Amino acid sequence: MVAKPNGEESHVSNPVRRIRWATQRVTGTNERHIRQSIKDRFQHRKSASTDKKRQSGETPELAGIQEASESSDSADEPEQSGRRIYFNIPLPDSAKDSDGHPVVHYERNKIRTAKYTPLSFVPKNLWFQFHNVANIYFLFVILLGIYWIFGNPNPALSSVPLIVILFLTAVKDGIEDWRRTVLDNELNNAPTHRLVGWNNVNTSEETISLWRRIKKATTHAVISTYNAWAFNKKQKSAGGKGYTERALDESRPSIDTRQSPRTSLSSLQSPGEEEGIQMTPVPSTQPDKARQLGNDRLAVDGRPTTSFSFEHGDGAQSANGQLTAPGVHDREHGRAPAKFYGSVLDPLKQIPGKAMFQRDYWKSVQVGDFVRLYNDDQIPADIVVLSTSDLDGQCYVETKNLDGETNLKVRQALHCGRNVKHAIDCEKASFVIESEAPNANLYQYSGAARWTHQDARSSEGPGTDMAEPISINNLLLRGCSLRNTEWVLGVVVYTGRETKIMLNSGITPSKRSRIARDLNWYVIYNFVVLFFMCLVSGIIQGVTWAESRTSSDFFEYGSIGGNPPLDGFITFWSSVILFQNLVPISLYISLEIIRLAQAFFIYSDTWMYYATLDYPCTPKSWNISDDLGQIEYIFSDKTGTLTQNVMEFKKCTINGVPYGEAYTEAQAGMQRRQGVDVEAEGAKVHKQIAEDRVKMLQDLRKMHANPYLHDDELTFVAPDFVSDLAGSSGTEQKIANEEFMLALALCHTVITERTPGNPPKLEFKAQSPDEAALVATARDCGFTVMGRSNDGIILNVLGREKEFTVLNTLEFNSSRKRMSAIIRMPNGKIILYCKGADSVIYSRLKAGEQPELRRLTGEHLEMFAREGLRTLCIACKELDEEAYQAWNKEHDLAAAAIVDREDKLEAVSDAIERDLTLIGGTAIEDRLQDGVPDAIALLGDAGIKLWVLTGDKVETAINIGFSCNLLNNDMDLIVFKIEDETVESAEAELVKHLKTFGLRGTDEELQAARKDHTAPNPTHAIVIDGDSLKLVLEDRLRQKFLMLCKQCKAVLCCRVSPAQKAAVVRMVKDGLDVMTLSIGDGANDVAMIQEADVGVGIAGEEGRQAVMSSDYAIGQFRFLQRLVLVHGRWSYRRLAETIANFFYKNIVWTFALFWYQIYNNFDVRYLFDYTYILLVNLAFTSLPVIFMGILDQDVSDKVSLAVPQLYRRGIERKEWTAVKFWIYMLDGIYQSVICYYMGHLLFAPATFNTSNGLTINDGPRIGVYIACATIVVVNSYVLMNMYQWDWLFLLLVAISILLIWFWTGVYTAFSSSLQFYKAAPQVFGQLSFWVMVLLTTAVCLLPRFAAKAFQKLYRPRDIDIIREQVAQGKFKHLDQYDAYVPPAKVHSATSSEVSDPPKAEQRGGKALADDERPMYPPSVANTGTTHNARSQNGSDGTDYTGHRFSVEQPPRQSFDRPRPSYDRMRDSMDRIRPSFEASNDFTTAALLTRLESSHSATPTRRTLHGASSLR
């Protein structure tokens, strides 16, 4: 990168870094025309940096951080190494093939997410359906039946069941895929504005093959037919064309409303050229046009339509040949040079001038195209922004389609492209973009624009090679929408399947339920049974025909095969056709219907509807609902999952003095386990807090009439802080308090939004609710962020408005765990403010200084953490001008690097964030969600074990555990902390704790543990941090750690990364062979959500990535109890009973046919009419068993929640077992014997005549006797196994039974039934028929009835006892509830709930995942909210620099003024449980006291945290 060196020394440096990596913004000469509303708009959001597991203490050496050398023009490198895109520059020979076409072929922008096309639907769908082994089996049976030798009486009719199943499945698949096809076509044919009439050298004309032409023609024909039908149907209501067609024919409304004519060169086009379009007026690059416009701006709806540009030339060249900036302006402290970025425009280039922007389809967009977008347009491809309508080259995008977030993010135009505004400018622009290869990382992009800058005043010079880095800040991703921006002009770098949104699609792994996996084995068992049945038939038939001197010699005409072996072979395959119902073809489609209905019921459950977000429980994977009924382990995130993720600033410590009054849920939980009456104590504390609140508001208004202070928004209650701020405790404390509040008001990335009013109301949009809470507290105390200026931030400090210049912002990421802002104060001094995790800040403090302040602050932070508050430290450092300028050059080089930019920037940031001075710390409350303690207690009563996997510190997690009933006072806390971080020490610690339970962690013990599903005694709980967890997850220790955790009631893993979360889930799932469920709300929870058997996402404050990756999405944690204990238990029990009954009914039917073969020498004669065989599973027995799986209910939802212990049967997997399967199979065999032999014995005497003398003892009529009795038995058996008998079930059973009578009567009424003709009146008219049906039913069901009666009377299960109690009316009290919720524990409201007036939920931008919060120890994962293109304005300086000496003064003791909350907490600490507190080295205060400044200039001791900085 080329830049002009400073000509002379200046005490004020002017450049402002607007985007993440310090690319500087040049201010223009018409600054007075900047919109006054710029401070009220959405501002910048920062991007996530690489998510690498690095230590925060990396070496600060900057050697080697140099600008990446310009790569050669060689294009023969593999695509995965990156790509070079040329704009108005001929391709080098190495990038062209022998025909002159580009060697590299890029993806088309046309995408297809649908599985099928009109041509491929039938074959492809059949291909997918025949992956089902049952479908293959029945196809094989049909093919066998085609050959007459196998005895199929009606081959065509035998194909009907399979055809029906395939057709219904195809219809379902077709409807689903048609929706995707329609969406694909809408996207592919959506309008955009693409530059035409110029040569895009990166692509060549595409050759369309004949096959592709046929596919396109077929698709167009189908789409046209559908559109014609839709047009005729909706013509009156829609009034003609759809959106896409209208958009292609009509002008843009935003253009039509303009009253000013076009002033750019494109307006010279003839008005009759319909292929061109009118473009948004932008200032012309021609000097005469610019002068003509002057300062008059064309506006639409009060918004300027211009883009900031260098309107007075491209820059000048000094006498010595140095480039100078094209525009400078006066600042408060004098004139300062602005950095010159150059321009990709070549003013000397001759162009044809034929290019114009034209409406086109998305599918026509190619890599290398220039594209113009307008407000509210969706982005058609991944586009690098060259220029925008905004003054400083920024635009706003909504990424809802990408990551589910609705908050706006800011993207920045390249400085070198801001002159490119018109089609003529696009022709003049000559540059190359070096881009990384396509990848799925949504939050990172590395590239560079390279060009040769030409000076219009010096046409003979060779030009200057220049480069500008391109980051994710400059990239618009496909699928996002442009918002609050008039227009954007950019170039395409990725298209189609190579765009980031497409690379991220389909990442959720497919899951199959446990029952579905087991079901295949039972189907195989049926195949084995079928094989032996057929084998027996074949052998006996062959042996029989081989015998001589039998009656067959006189009555038979010979066999089909002609010899016994062949006869046996033919009989074997004929038996496959006869006994085909043993393998139920309708089972799979029936299970699909049942699961679909269960998913619908879950979605429709209004008691899991979250009205705040208008969000019901949404099944994403509707085929695993039965897994919800077998969950044994739940793994939960804490922040945003157990807590509300609505942050309230409660306490702080400044210069060793604690401030703030609060009574948190965690503190109430701590006092409850100490035996304190928390209800009385809470009322007392709340009264005191309310009084202090009133006093603080009065004192604040006396000090400063703050118009932005709203009583209902004050969360920081500390009247002593206001007194100290006024100077009552001395000048030192007053200065320290001011310094602290300035740090909060300046070191952030918050965007200010102004709501009109008198006075206007300020709202803070932040990427994290923590940050919004910090800035809001500074506002309440008189340090108000008013908004942004062009190069800084404006504060109202106790009534005086001041402006601070933001020089740099060093972004937060998961490896740094801190953020810093470098601020130029109004007096010209440069101050660095840094905030972050306590361990990180303490390790960077100046060595040997502030020992007493460190100790006091550490103690205060520990107390805050024990109250369940989230803490961070604030520090600062004064920089001299020379040192800063030297560092800034290194920072610019790192920012310009193409390779390893993130690593280099982290190294250069690390170098300056050293030798800091401690200011204080903050504490923010993240309150528990409603109903969380009760939900956890209820799940625990059900036998479910809950583990918390969080990125928070240990103390915070422990106290949240107590407040939410996960931990209790009777538990011994096993705090697992390996000081020397060695595997040997970890093993020794594990062995020691295992001995407590008499275990050694052997394989035999593990096998026993797999069979033991009982809940452990509530005597122990494990607390482990990320560093120790990394050790115990080693292969040699994993089993011992698992066995130890198995004995503990609760497990808390603190400061863990997303990968560690997934590893813990995998360890439990595979090690103990149990069903697991993971629940979370952030991107850092996606890994464990996908790893678990069932993943649940909470649609909360942290975006929707967890929801998009989950199997079920809910609005609040408390809904999990209903999802699991009600719907999960129901679904599991219903499905298990349905499958067992399905196998049973097929056994009864098929074996009745088998017994008949005994008396036919197994010649595969049909006892039943063939239509019976085809309809038995489709009609006669299908409805009862399907509705059993959909509607059967043992107890109501209220009773399910009132008696959660009923769920334990699912944990033990007792509803569906191999024993149950074989019992039902044997029961079916028994009943098949009764069904057949009752009819057989009836006709055996061979004297059966009817009243008219005619006999009905032929095969078809005997089959009516047996078939009708069998259908009655089967349906009655299913009814007997149902728990809920109501009119609907009785009606369905009756219909199914009567259906065989109806079919027999109708079918036999026609002569086409042949030998079956008139069978119905003949059989149904016999008394013996009705008597046999009645007796058969009684004899078949009697053993089952007797077994059930014995079991319920003498061996009752839990459900039997509860159902009896329900019948006795012992649960009548539940009727008073609409939906039963278990009684709540004693309520302990927080300080906010009592002292605060009612108020709406805190507004603000979407929150970050726990690992991406700029002030807490995170885990390592990028989230969808970490990017802020204006992050260099996000953290700001302060006008006060005398901070270093103030924090060195002796702190004021706590007894100077009563501090109830502080003293109350100190008292609680003295009485805390010794099992945890005895380990003093583990507390925060102890750690921070021992933690030397390991990242300062002269480290003296190794940090204790070491690798734990990753947490």
Side-chain angles (χ1 to χ4, degrees), residues 752-765:
T752 304
E753 279 196 346
R754 186 187 300 258
T755 303
N758 189 19
K761 185 176 181 180
L762 298 180
E763 293 183 1
F764 301 116
K765 299 291 185 180

Side-chain angles (χ1 to χ4, degrees), residues 616-636:
C617 178
T618 306
K620 305 279 186 171
S621 301
W622 49 267
N623 61 334
I624 60 172
S625 56
D626 46 293
D627 278 353
L628 286 170
Q630 306 170 70
I631 300 300
E632 185 171 354
Y633 284 84
I634 292 179
F635 301 90
S636 174

